[in-house]
Every structure is written in C-alpha cells, then in structure tokens.
Amino acid sequence: WPSSSFCGRVSLISDMVSTLFVLGSVLVGYLIYKFFFKVNATESTSLGGLSESQLATLRSICDAFISDESRSSHLHASSSSGHSSPLQRLSDANPARKAFFARKATDIGVHDHLIKTVLLQPPEKIGEFKQLLSLLNTYGLTYLLTGQIKPFTQLTLAEQQKILSDMGSSNMGLRRKAYKGLAPLVYRSFFAVLDKVGNNANWEAIGYAPPSQYKDMPPPPALKIEEVKGDKAIKCDVVIVGSGAGGGVAAAVLAQAGHKVVVLEKGPFCTEADFTWREPIDFGNMYERGGLMVSESLEIAVLAGSTVGGGTTINWAASFRTPQAIIDQWSQAVPGFFDQPDYKEALDAVCARLNVGINENVVNAQNEVLRKGCEREGYDFDHIPRNVRGCSAAVDSESACSDKKVTNDDCGYCSLGCRRGAKQGTMRTWLQDACANGAVIVPNCFVEKIIHADGKVQGVIGRVSPPTTETISGPTVPEHLRGSNYCFHLTVHAKTVICSAGALHSPALLLRSHIQNTQIGKNLYLHPVAIVAGTFDKKIEAWKGPPMSIISREFNNLDGSHYGCIIETPSTHPALMSSGLACSPHIMSTIKHRMLESDKLVNFVCICRDKDGGEIRIDSTGLPVVHYALSDYDWGHLRASLVGAVRIMVAAGSQEVGVAMTGLPHVKPTMKHTKGSKQEPDEAVEKYIEKFLAIPYQPNRQFLASAHQMGTCRMGTDSHNSVVNTRGQVWGIEGLYVADTSVFPSALGVNPMVTAESVSYKIAKGICATLKTEIEYEK
C-alpha cells in the first residue's frame, strides 16, 4: 500500500476495482455458460446429439469456410495470385467447374459428414466440440473466440469469414485452437462426402478420378480368422495384442517355433477386395479414429493404422534399416540389445522377408521435383528402399528408379491399401507365416486389460465387436459406443502376453491394467511433420505413382548428435490435401482455386527427429490421449529444414511456394532456375524466408502431423527410467512383453517399420529361448 502518495492510493484502488469487475464478469459469464448448457440439454437433438442451436452454428461455420463464390467480386477481377484467373475458369464453359464455385459446404451435406466423423472421437472430445459450437453462438461469451458480442449465426457472411480467418493467426491460443478444431475438418469433409456411387461432387472439377475397379486383384491372404459369436474363453501359449509391424513378426517367429499363438487386433480384417480407394471409407475402416486423432491441444494430427496388419497395411512403403548412428546411440543407452550380432541378423531377416530394395522404384512427378530441386541446390538426396513385390508402377515402367511419367492410374493409393497386394505388409508376409504354423487372428477385438497376479501374467480380457468395415460413405462405430449389447467378451489364458499395439495403445493397455511403473506412457516421440507446398506450371498429379521414392538427408544432423529432419514427399489425395491447406494464408478465399490446381501442387514433408518427448495418458474410457508440445529445440530444426524445403521447391521451378502457416502469404519467385550450377538467391524468396524466420513458434498456427509414434514403453537397463528390459519384458511382471515402436529408446529419425519389425524379431527370438527353457524345466 503506497503511503507516500494520495494519487498512488487512488490508482491502486482503481486497479483493485477493475480487477474485481473483471473477475466478477468472468464468474457471471461462467454461470451463464453453465446455465446455458443445462437449459439446452433439454432441446431436441439432431444427428450426433447436437442441439438445434449447435447444428445451426455448425452449418454457418461450414458455409463460411466454403461459400458460394459464383457471384463474388474477386472472381471477376484479374488474378494477381499466380493462380489461373477465376474469370477464365468460369469462361471455360465447364459445368463441373461452375458448379464447383457455386457449391456451398452444406449443399453436399458437409455438416452431416463432419458430425459422423467427430463421433469417431472419445466422449471428452465430442463434448468439447459441442461446447465450442455453443460458445460460438452464445451472446457475450462468443467474444472470447470471435471478438463479437453477437452469436456467430447472426453475423453476415463477410463478418463470419473475417472472424474465422483472424482466429487462425490470432495471438490468442484459444482462438487458434478453435480454428484448428474446425477448419481442417470442414475442408477435408468437403472433398470426402461421397454420393451413392462412391464419388465426390468436387472431384470432376479438380481432375481427380480414382478407379472404381481393379482387375488384377490377388487372392485373399491365407490367414486363419477366428470368428467369435458369443462370450468365449481361449487357452494358448502366447497371446499377442496387435497385428502390425510388432505383432505380425512376433506371431510368425513364435508360431514357427511350435507355440500356439493367438493374435488379437482391435481393427477390422480388410483385404484387397475391401480397399475402396475412397478416403472417407478407407480411413474409417483402417485408421485410428478414422484418421482424425489429434493431440490434446490439437497442435498435431496423429495418423496410425487400426486394421489387420496395422500401419504396414496403409503406410507408404518406405523401408529403412536402422541408421548406424542411431544404433550407436541406442547401444550406449541400452547395452546388450542393439549392439549384438543378432540385431543385425534380425535386420537382414526382416529386409529379406519384405523384399526391401529399390529395384521396383519409380520416381513419380512429385518425387522428381524433390530430386531435381536437391540436385540444383547441391543438397543430398537418395532413393528410398521400399517393401514391394510386383508394384504396378514398376511393372508398367521401363526400368526401376525411373523418372518417367507414371501412366498407371492404379498406383498411388498406398495410404488406402494396395489392391494389387504388392506392398509386403504383415498381412501378406509374417501373418501368413504365422497362420501357416497354426496361429489364429481375432479381428475387431479391443483388449481391455491384462490379467496378472503375484508378478506373473495370466492372459488378457477383451471385447469383440461385429465387423464394421464400410463399403459406402460413413464412419465405423467407435469403441466407446460399443456397449455390452454390441460385443462379446473374450478371455485368452496364456503364460506369455506380448503387447504390440503400438506406441499409442501399448502404454494405454498397461495403464488400464494397473501395471505399476511411472515411465509407462512417457517419452512419446512423434516425428512431427511440417509441410512446404509449391505450385507448378505443369501437371504433377501427385496422387499417381509411388508416393515416396526420394529422400533428402541434408538436414538430418543439425546439432552434431543426429537430431534434425529428413525431407520426403507425402501420399496426396484431395481430402487429406485440403485439410493440410487449412493452415495456408487467406485459405477461405483461395481454397477452391488451390484445389482446382491440385494437379499442379507439390508437397514436401519435413520429418523431425524430436529430442523432447510428450506423454500418453488415458481418458475416462481408457483410450489413449496424446499430450505433446513441440519444443523450441525441435522447432528450430523443423524451421531450418522448412527453409531448405522452400529453396528446393524454388530450385525445381515452383511458381509459388510457402510453408503451411496462417498469416504468412506464399511467395512467387522472381527468378527462373535452369539446369547447371546453383542460382543466385531470389530476392523475393529471401525476403519471404526472413519473414518466416522472424515468426515465433505458436501452437496451432502451422500444420503439424505425425505418422510415426515411438518410445512410450521405453527399453532400458533400469526400471526407474524404462518400462521394459533388454529382453522386452515389462519390469516386475513375468511373461509380459512389449514388442513394437514403443520400446525405442528415443526417436529414430527415419520411417520406423523395418526397425520395429527387427526389434520385435529379436525380442520374439528371445521369448522362444525362454519358453524352450521353461518347457525343458517342466519336463
């Protein structure tokens, strides 16, 4: 209390009154908010349990993001963006394009599709989504997000669009989070809604036409699928939770050793005949939460497989051996595993079984941009080994590692499953080996907990749901909606349990089972991915041909400790592509223009070997929740590689290029690059890079994603800093093992499939030796 000045006392009193007023306003607002939800709980509900008010808000949001542009003034102005003139497009007398510009989101039911996809999320996330809609349409409280007192539905379209645009680049984290929770979903849904014959209304306008039939369908994989028609108990030697890179290999090794093996997979059994090559269907059938899993903060999207074969069924076939630098690091951290000769033997065995190599590589147009740009900049680049046998792109090209234009429309859908059966995922390799030796697979089985007592494992308890694969538009039924009326209970008794559910679900299963170890779920590494996009003056059609065939390691060792980023190209199809564009600047006024030129679009992904990890926790239903915040250290590495990716794109001849980040307009290079020596710096590009580097990292301002999850059941030599020992056994629980990417001591730095399978191979061999010793002892 300042006693020396009367004015000081008055000022302090004024500040106190103001503070009390603000606190009182917040309290009143909170009470109104709680009362609002209580009142609206009795309203009539629509699809997904939304109130009429929430549904009206959602419809307004969808139509603000994607509006009728047929009468917009900017359509009739000359283009200054580097894109083709919208007026010119409309004058093409192309009915599909005219309809495309006139189409609002709700015209094709984007709001309904969005609700269905949101229902794939856990109850807490569904509740947050509903609260967001209510907050946007509540007098006064909407100011927190919009800066307006009036509800969102009472604003003009221009006001709505400005508010949403400002939210994306706002300095307020809450507003950016709200934008990130809406924009990607709306744009993705606009290009994902299917009609009765399985086509999207916008595909014709943008020149995207996935084939509906495939003539060279292989026979189904020779797997023994156990059908569960009622509550059931099974006894076996080994039960394995998960059928992907970890579980598939372990099943083969143990079954070949003569053990009775049961594999439990929470996802459905989808064969080549079930791959529709339609994003909403295949994502709903084969991806975790329909491909819509996100971190708790919405900062990073998380893609993971959830089907028989796990991620190996829907990954992009990149197959790297564990880099020697990483083997050296891990050998120091965990002596006795990675530094042993049998780990190299495991790598050799895995690569041989998967037919890993570059003999069937074809460099499609998008990868050729990466190769050409790296060559002109003097950057490192190399071919990516892939696990394919009889890839249609390679069969139809004249030679391997060819840069010829891909003419086969039946290649390029690796992320939606390979109809040819050429990708050597576990469904086509290890699981067939396992089943040939007596193993059985139970799909649609969610393992609820591990049975253990007195430090010994006894089996698992799960619930088996009816098959839920889709053949028409629509999501699958999420786990939390599958009550006892929809499931059968399955108990599997076994003295050996192997968790191979991946770095998301293996720790969640251990946590649900009350395994006592404070390290479970910690050390989550995600290989965070950021995007650089470039537009060219020629057709690229990035969705045709193998999605990944070229890699640049120019930025993979930025600190001398092999932390940094690699640069690759992604699998690119309209729904996923448009959701990635949600973080682009001025996207509401350019989304249709950009997607109309999607056949000329190239994307690079900068994949960071993250040093600072996150954590997996479980929600009230026992499902995994990703807690992850990108550190300044890792952002520094991503930022350096993004700058490099921009330079590569410019060197390859891009007409316009930029990082997927709100509030930062893309740049049009002023100099043309030609063959030969490295060009002089482009002034416009250098100014763009300078602006980019001056922007501090802010969560939810840029596009971030993860396709690789690691480290949450870390291997080590001490139970105080790890979950499993060097045999893969969980500390303190005899017979309980983990064999998947979750045991990695740190982030890997390259696509992890081969390393995951090799780790599982070695762990499984060790389990075989242990079981053999136990059997001999019992005899």
Side-chain angles (χ1 to χ4, degrees), residues 667-688:
V667 62
K668 293 189 293 181
T670 57
M671 297 174 59
K672 289 188 177 182
H673 281 67
T674 57
K675 293 182 179 180
S677 61
K678 186 175 179 180
Q679 304 290 310
E680 291 296 320
D682 186 298
E683 183 177 353
V685 173
E686 295 307 312
K687 286 183 178 179
Y688 171 85

Side-chain angles (χ1 to χ4, degrees), residues 48 118-131 480:
V118 167
L119 288 178
L120 290 169
Q121 306 307 307
E124 284 88 347
K125 286 296 181 186
I126 297 173
E128 288 177 7
F129 183 75
K130 293 179 180 179
Q131 289 174 6
H480 66 273

